[in-house]
Amino acid sequence: MKYIDEFYDRKICVNLAEEIAKKSLGTELTFMEVCGTHTMSIFRNGIKDLLPENISVLSGPGCPVCVTPNRTIDKAIAIARLNEVCVCSFGDMMRVPGSSSTLAQERGRGADVKVVYSATDAVGIAERNPDKKVVFLGIGFETTTPTVASSIKDSALKGLKNYFVLPAAKLIPPAIKAILNSGKTKIDGFLLPGHVSVIIGRKPYEFIAEDYGIPCAIAGFEPTDILYAILRLVEQINNGSPAVENCYRRSVKEDGNKLAKDMMNEVFEVCDSEWRGLGVIPSSGLKIEKKYRAFDALHNFKMDVEETKENPDCLCGDVLRGVASPLDCALFGGVCTPENPAGPCMVSSEGTCAAYYKYADVRR
Ligand code: SF4
């Protein structure tokens, strides 16, 4: 298919990989991909096997399901246990373990928990069920948050009184900063997330190159996109000129999507937020603006949330910081599998543990 097949062309991929090998010869380099879709694409397309031994690619905190902490899941479960409430969630969140239960288990016990594809679907459920309070579990990054903002604005315009959002959205640039400030992971360059960048543009990442001297490349999701972005990272290192390069120009504009950003800024305001594995990161989350408080589940439901407990044997937190591989986890592949996940990184279709499990013949 013209304009699509080229992105998968084996010859182009091999040429790019050879160029990377030639230009990085004699240097050990570690790059972090900050997006779950990149993680999956890298594994699915065998990119780790194409790259030379001296280049390592680490997964970062780019899977929204994985970084959502137990506390948020516990709140959603507490709401699901209330009478005349319907909790709506993306499918991936259903089996993520909270402190003592999952949304899927709550549904099995009789709670009204529905899988939806978007916040708009949840608004539709609220419209069709005026006797129910419908609560959308609003996880996600800058990519999905404008749609959640739109669902709230839409509900306000329609005068809906039974639609609520449990706000749990997170912002990617502060998470990258937190990883860099932790100093625990050696990172020579970032493959920046294409989807998030479609919304926020290129500029919000400039601090990475300017303040930390680390090269960055915004990458698309096809194999040639990813290999080309890695090549540009290597070239930036060789030239000693770290920058934020947009290698996904067919989708990402310099300033992102103004309409989506305006929508997000009208409905949400920036706040500190807790991330699994990274703790509370300043200014890394979004809460609902006062003006839209009538739609804020945190202000409209009394939640009986138990004390948060994490599975002490699950290394998801370390995997998300790039300091451990799923293969370091004693539960990987035995106790923890996609059928019986012990942590979010095995549940999510974008989770690093799920990627390792599915594409087992991988090196660390
Ligand atoms: S293998 Fe399972 S338990 Fe281990 S880190 Fe991954 S999700 Fe957590």
Side-chain angles (χ1 to χ4, degrees), residues 19 24 27 83 86 91 163 177 207 212 220 234 240 266 287 345:
E19 197 69 7
S24 65
T27 333
N83 288 331
C86 167
Y163 175 68
K177 189 180 235 175
F207 72 93
Y212 296 87
V234 171
E266 182 186 334
K287 62 181 180 184
C345 297

Side-chain angles (χ1 to χ4, degrees), residues 54-266:
N54 56 311
I55 303 258
S56 306
V57 185
L58 284 177
S59 302
C63 158
V65 171
C66 306
V67 298
T68 299
N70 274 17
R71 201 181 310 278
T72 301
I73 299 160
D74 293 345
K75 282 178 188 167
I77 287 169
I79 293 173
R81 287 175 179 166
L82 299 173
N83 288 331
E84 285 161 10
V85 167
C86 167
V87 169
C88 294
S89 166
F90 295 129
D92 273 3
M93 286 304 293
M94 293 293 288
R95 293 190 309 137
V96 178
S99 295
S100 63
S101 180
T102 66
L103 284 170
Q105 285 167 341
E106 294 303 312
R107 184 163 68 178
R109 291 176 190 134
D112 188 356
V113 181
K114 289 186 169 50
V115 171
V116 291
Y117 290 104
S118 69
T120 309
D121 289 350
V123 173
I125 292 170
E127 287 180 293
R128 292 191 298 278
N129 298 275
D131 53 326
K132 284 241 166 174
K133 291 177 176 171
V134 175
V135 181
F136 178 70
L137 173 50
I139 69 148
F141 295 135
E142 292 91 334
T143 326
T144 42
T145 306
T147 63
V148 180
S150 164
S151 76
I152 291 174
K153 265 192 90 169
D154 185 36
S155 299
L157 284 171
K158 288 173 174 163
L160 268 185
K161 300 275 187 262
N162 65 330
Y163 175 68
F164 306 89
V165 170
L166 180 58
K170 305 207 182 298
L171 304 171
I172 284 288
I176 295 177
K177 189 180 235 175
I179 286 177
L180 289 170
N181 287 344
S182 78
K184 294 214 171 113
T185 317
K186 173 191 171 287
I187 300 170
D188 299 301
F190 284 100
L191 277 181
L192 295 173
H195 297 143
V196 165
S197 307
V198 167
I199 304 298
I200 68 175
R202 190 195 62 84
K203 288 184 183 166
Y205 306 109
E206 279 178 337
F207 72 93
I208 306 171
E210 288 172 5
D211 301 344
Y212 296 87
I214 295 181
C216 298
I218 297 171
F221 299 98
E222 313 309 342
T224 48
D225 285 324
I226 292 171
L227 286 163
Y228 177 67
I230 291 174
L231 176 60
R232 291 302 304 148
L233 290 177
V234 171
E235 287 174 343
Q236 283 189 41
I237 290 166
N238 288 350
N239 297 337
S241 55
V244 181
E245 206 169 314
N246 183 1
C247 300
Y248 193 30
R249 283 170 192 258
R250 65 185 186 278
S251 298
V252 175
K253 305 280 172 287
E254 179 72 3
D255 293 314
N257 181 326
K258 183 176 181 310
L259 196 67
K261 286 193 292 186
D262 287 349
M263 179 80 76
M264 215 157 58
N265 292 337
E266 182 186 334

Side-chain angles (χ1 to χ4, degrees), residues 311 313-316 319 326 329-333 336 341-346 353:
N311 178 342
D313 298 324
C314 170
L315 298 189
C316 278
V319 170
C329 177
L331 307 187
F332 178 84
C336 182
C345 297
M346 188 61 93
C353 298

